[in-house]
Amino acid sequence: MSGYLRIGEVARRAGVSATTLRAWERRYGLLEPERSGGGFRLYSDDDVARVQAMRDHVHRGVAAAEAARLARGAPSEVGAPAADPAELASLLGRAFEDFDEIAAHGVLDRASASLSLEAALRDVLLPAMSTIGSRWQEDASSIAQEHFATNVVRGRLLGLARGWDRGSGPRALLACPPGEQHDLALLAFGVALRNHGWRVTHLGADTPAATIAAAAELLAPDVVVLAATERRRFASIAAELAELARARRLAVAGAGADERVAAQLGAELLDTDPVTAAARVAGG
């Protein structure tokens, strides 16, 4: 389609600033505008689609250069069959088993490019991690694969988490109780919650009760979410959490959380996958 849009209109439609649009055009060759008789750059609807696609990829944590490469193919991919999440999850699991980081990132890039953020997390990344975790429990020789997969996924989620504390939406404070080292599901929850417009503060694994309480006092979050794989992690600071629950909305999640734990603490139980739990929290 011939160009007919000025840069300001493209920026408005795509939801990026004109400055960012010019930078993407200059650095990554994202757009090739035509020129009007008066020398003005003119863009088409396909250009708008490319900018929107690159914006979405960048928001999902894809590096800018790779995001531009994916976005340049976006208009021609309209109407292409959607990726099969189950197939992508299988491919990702195979990459983890083979210690193939390049292949793993390739699958995650495909998931980011073809699925919504929620679907990529819920239907691809988390099932692949669950499979690796199950094999580790059954076969000690798979511990190395579980560590490898964890490191790959952690880096990916932290990329998606960039800037997740900005904005003006409600705030969530996330942490794992003392002794709890597994926070990947909590990271995925935070990324999904951010997609609902929330701001996220993540304290990470093995967080002392005093640190959680101090952060809650300072930030006054709309919800505090704690996750653990074992019930005893919550039990070790039950008195402190019960006190926190009297002042703030408190939710507990993970394999260590159940109705009994939630009732003892006066907390809300999040007993679904992280993506569904995020939608539940965001819904009030």
Side-chain angles (χ1 to χ4, degrees):
M1 176 184 293
S2 298
Y4 69 100
L5 300 172
R6 296 280 292 274
I7 190 169
E9 179 62 14
V10 175
R12 186 190 68 80
R13 294 189 185 189
V16 300
S17 70
T19 299
T20 297
L21 196 154
R22 291 190 187 96
W24 288 353
E25 181 180 317
R26 182 177 66 255
R27 295 175 187 172
Y28 308 113
L30 181 65
L31 307 173
E32 296 181 0
E34 300 177 4
R35 292 279 183 172
S36 69
F40 295 108
R41 287 182 172 87
L42 295 177
Y43 302 83
S44 68
D45 290 334
D46 280 352
D47 291 324
V48 175
R50 290 189 186 92
V51 177
Q52 290 171 331
M54 180 163 177
R55 176 204 63 196
D56 291 345
H57 293 316
V58 169
H59 285 176
R60 294 180 183 122
V62 179
E66 175 64 11
R69 186 190 69 78
L70 293 169
R72 283 194 297 270
S76 63
E77 292 170 1
V78 174
D84 180 1
E87 179 184 0
L88 292 178
S90 177
L91 290 172
L92 183 58
R94 192 178 309 160
F96 289 153
E97 291 175 7
D98 294 339
F99 298 97
D100 191 336
E101 184 171 357
I102 293 177
H105 282 296
V107 175
L108 291 170
D109 284 344
R110 286 179 59 191
S112 296
S114 58
L115 301 171
S116 68
L117 174 62
E118 289 88 350
L121 289 172
R122 183 188 60 240
D123 302 331
V124 179
L125 190 151
L126 292 173
M129 287 301 299
S130 177
T131 299
I132 289 293
S134 298
R135 290 176 181 173
W136 165 68
Q137 292 177 346
E138 297 171 358
D139 181 3
S141 66
S142 297
I143 290 178
Q145 293 166 329
E146 194 267 345
H147 277 263
F148 170 78
T150 296
N151 284 329
V152 171
V153 171
R154 175 177 298 281
R156 195 75 178 205
L157 290 174
L158 290 175
L160 292 169
R162 286 197 300 265
W164 64 356
D165 61 338
R166 299 173 187 167
S168 58
R171 182 181 293 279
L173 177 64
L174 314 183
C176 292
E180 179 59 54
Q181 301 295 333
H182 299 84
D183 69 340
L184 283 187
L186 192 62
L187 276 171
F189 169 85
V191 168
L193 190 61
R194 173 58 180 170
N195 210 45
H196 288 279
W198 281 57
R199 292 174 292 162
V200 176
T201 300
H202 180 66
L203 300 182
D206 190 21
T207 307
T211 301
I212 298 170
E217 179 68 22
L218 178 64
L219 297 173
D222 297 272
V223 67
V224 178
V225 180
L226 302 181
T229 56
E230 298 177 277
R231 180 185 294 177
R232 63 192 176 106
R233 305 303 184 194
F234 295 114
S236 68
I237 56 171
E240 293 92 332
L241 293 184
E243 181 178 354
L244 179 61
R246 288 191 286 271
R248 304 282 172 200
R249 180 185 179 191
L250 175 66
V252 292
D258 56 25
E259 293 182 358
R260 179 181 175 185
V261 168
Q264 289 175 337
L265 300 178
E268 177 181 346
L269 175 62
L270 301 177
D271 55 357
T272 59
D273 68 86
V275 174
T276 303
R280 175 178 168 182
V281 168

